[in-house]
Amino acid sequence: MMSRAKFRRRSRNNDYHQDMESKGRFGGRSFVIVAGTAIVSLVTLIAVASIISSDPSLHESPLPTSAVTATACALLLQSLALLLKPRAPIASLLIIAALPISLAFIEPNGLFTVTVVPVVVTVFLVAAHGSVLHTGRQVLLAVPLVAIGQFINSFRTGHPDVTAAIFEAFAQAIVVVAMAFLPAAVLASQRATLLAQNAEVRALTRERDAQIGEAVALERTAMARELHDIAAHHLSGISLMAAAIARQVESDPAAARDGALHVRRQSKLILQDLRRLVGLLRIGEDDGQIKTLSTIRELVGSVRAAGSSVNLDIRFAPNRPLGHGVGPLGHLAAYRMVQETLTNALKHAPGAHCQVLIDDRDTTTVEVSVSNSPAESAAKADSVNSGLGILGMRERAILIGGSFDTGPTPEGGWSSTMILPREDDSKGNNPYGNKPDTKREDGR
């Protein structure tokens, strides 16, 4: 089975070759590379020939014109072989490295070293597009070919020591290949690092989107439960009254008429309750803000603006952001718990004073509680709690590894408490990046 690293390397190389193929085998970029290599090689050849001709000590006899012509032809053929690189980079490299061997047999001369210029260009181009290990093994194939050409040229031009000629040939081949491979490897490594960073950013973006989608799905489930909590009682009563009306239409029309009016009143009540719940659930959501422990302050402010008496007490830990170490779902669960508990208090305990407490001082957990005093006026007779809202809050707490308790207080009110566990914060990470906040809402 192919390893992941090998698969990634092969994928990068395939992407490169496919990209080159999409541009055409003989695209404009290939012709520019071929022309540039040919021009640089020929200019180098002319410069070396001029130096050798002007300094007899560099050559025992005058440099023949045939040597210059043969070397120039070899350079042109090497440059033309670069046209094969987009489709067959290794074959192109081997052809360019092997062509000088024919020159060494046909016309050995002192200009032979210039034939390494196309080899340097090809090694650089091959190594710059691929992983270092993969291209490193490929360009090593060019070393013996370059060394063989250098050795044959040295031997046929009269090198006295065969062993020294072999050593010099391989040393020159290694230097030529390494001179082109090393900078190309650096560029390839930088490109691979950039690709890996981009892939990581895309993965983190997908993970964040998945978390947001999960949170949205959970909130939709919570809203459905709350809507059921409000509607279940009313719809059950309406169903019973409709059945009674059906029996009384003929036997007792007056009672049937009263029953129909009662059904109408119940329908209005359920519509009012549904509008109120949806309105409360939408508090603070129009701006697209992520719900955290810090945004509970805005939630309480919105409830106060609606005319309710609510006090917020946040007990901070020194030098630590509010809710540090609590995961995104924990922040969201606490926010929804406060939101739903305040909704229930407004519905079932009209006029009661509410107290919201966020205790962030413990190092392992965060306590969020909402309590209300006894109602100042009686709740509506049809305001019955089916318990599904409490079930939803308890399920949210269990989902994040916390706990949820609720029940009456000795004073006759009601209290709900959620305990949020902190995640491993050994790295000092804060999922929301909040700055330490020590502002108290109750002025104490």
Side-chain angles (χ1 to χ4, degrees):
M1 183 177 294
M2 186 184 300
S3 65
R4 291 185 177 180
K6 186 176 181 180
F7 178 79
R8 287 194 296 267
R9 290 195 299 269
R10 180 170 294 182
S11 297
R12 285 195 294 267
N13 292 329
N14 290 340
D15 290 342
Y16 166 68
H17 298 321
Q18 291 172 2
D19 178 68
M20 295 301 294
E21 289 177 11
S22 65
K23 297 178 181 178
R25 182 177 180 180
F26 301 109
R29 182 179 177 183
S30 298
F31 279 113
V32 171
I33 294 175
V34 169
T37 303
I39 292 173
V40 171
S41 300
L42 293 177
V43 169
T44 304
L45 174 65
I46 295 172
V48 173
S50 300
I51 293 173
I52 293 177
S53 299
S54 62
D55 190 353
S57 63
L58 298 176
H59 207 268
E60 295 181 356
S61 60
L63 191 64
T65 304
S66 60
V68 178
T69 303
T71 306
C73 292
L75 292 174
L76 291 175
L77 290 175
Q78 285 178 296
S79 301
L80 289 174
L82 278 170
L83 291 173
L84 300 176
K85 195 187 77 63
R87 298 295 298 272
I90 304 306
S92 175
L93 175 61
L94 296 180
I95 292 174
I96 292 172
L99 277 174
I101 298 177
S102 301
L103 175 65
F105 276 109
I106 298 173
E107 187 70 34
N109 59 83
L111 300 175
F112 183 86
T113 305
V114 180
T115 59
V116 301
V117 174
V119 176
V120 170
V121 173
T122 309
V123 169
F124 180 87
L125 293 176
V126 171
H129 298 87
S131 66
V132 175
L133 293 178
H134 183 65
T135 57
R137 291 192 295 267
Q138 294 175 339
V139 299
L140 281 177
L141 299 175
V143 173
L145 295 177
V146 174
I148 291 173
Q150 293 289 341
F151 169 73
I152 294 175
N153 186 76
S154 298
F155 181 76
R156 297 203 59 186
T157 54
H159 198 289
D161 190 345
V162 175
T163 303
I166 295 175
F167 177 79
E168 291 174 2
F170 272 95
Q172 185 175 359
I174 292 173
V175 171
V176 167
V177 173
M179 179 176 61
F181 177 76
L182 292 179
V186 172
L187 292 178
S189 299
Q190 292 176 346
R191 182 183 292 107
T193 301
L194 181 60
L195 292 175
Q197 291 175 347
N198 292 336
E200 183 178 2
V201 169
R202 289 192 296 269
L204 291 174
T205 301
R206 289 193 296 269
E207 181 180 1
R208 181 199 63 191
D209 294 341
Q211 290 178 345
I212 293 175
E214 182 181 2
V216 170
L218 290 173
E219 288 312 302
R220 288 175 177 173
T221 303
M223 181 177 287
R225 285 174 177 156
E226 288 303 316
L227 292 175
H228 178 273
D229 189 17
I230 290 177
H233 172 75
H234 295 297
L235 293 177
S236 297
I238 289 173
S239 177
L240 292 174
M241 286 184 288
I245 291 171
R247 292 193 300 269
Q248 295 173 345
V249 168
E250 295 181 359
S251 60
D252 192 352
R257 179 179 180 277
D258 292 339
L261 292 175
H262 190 61
V263 168
R264 182 182 180 186
R265 287 194 296 269
Q266 288 289 326
S267 300
K268 287 185 177 180
L269 288 175
I270 189 174
L271 288 175
Q272 291 174 358
D273 288 339
L274 291 177
R275 290 192 188 101
R276 182 168 62 250
L277 174 63
V278 173
L280 287 173
L281 289 177
R282 287 177 177 174
I283 290 177
E285 291 186 354
D286 292 339
D287 58 357
Q289 184 182 31
I290 298 176
K291 304 308 178 187
T292 67
L293 291 171
S294 298
T295 59
I296 291 177
R297 181 182 293 113
E298 300 175 7
L299 172 64
V300 171
S302 299
V303 176
R304 284 176 182 167
S308 301
S309 176
V310 183
N311 184 53
L312 175 61
D313 182 8
I314 303 179
R315 300 176 184 178
F316 297 91
N319 301 322
R320 188 173 64 195
L322 180 63
H324 178 76
V326 176
L329 289 180
H331 281 263
L332 186 59
Y335 182 93
R336 291 308 187 200
M337 189 276 286
V338 174
Q339 187 181 53
E340 294 178 16
T341 306
L342 290 177
T343 301
N344 291 335
L346 294 176
K347 179 180 178 182
H348 303 294
H353 174 74
C354 298
Q355 173 76 20
V356 179
L357 170 64
I358 303 176
D359 192 346
D360 193 38
R361 295 173 296 179
D362 191 272
T363 58
T364 58
T365 61
V366 177
E367 177 181 342
V368 181
S369 63
V370 181
S371 60
N372 61 271
S373 62
E376 295 184 358
S377 60
K380 296 180 180 179
D382 57 353
S383 181
V384 177
N385 189 356
S386 66
L388 292 179
I390 294 176
L391 177 61
M393 288 185 278
R394 182 170 285 112
E395 288 179 351
R396 291 176 193 168
I398 294 174
L399 178 64
I400 62 174
S403 62
F404 175 78
D405 295 313
T406 186
T409 63
E411 296 79 13
W414 195 269
S415 177
S416 300
T417 302
M418 181 177 286
I419 303 298
L420 309 174
R422 299 185 193 274
E423 298 177 351
D424 181 15
D425 60 351
S426 59
K427 296 181 181 181
N429 295 327
N430 181 17
Y432 293 100
N434 300 330
K435 296 180 180 179
D437 187 2
T438 57
K439 180 180 178 182
R440 298 182 65 90
E441 288 294 328
D442 57 359
R444 294 182 291 175

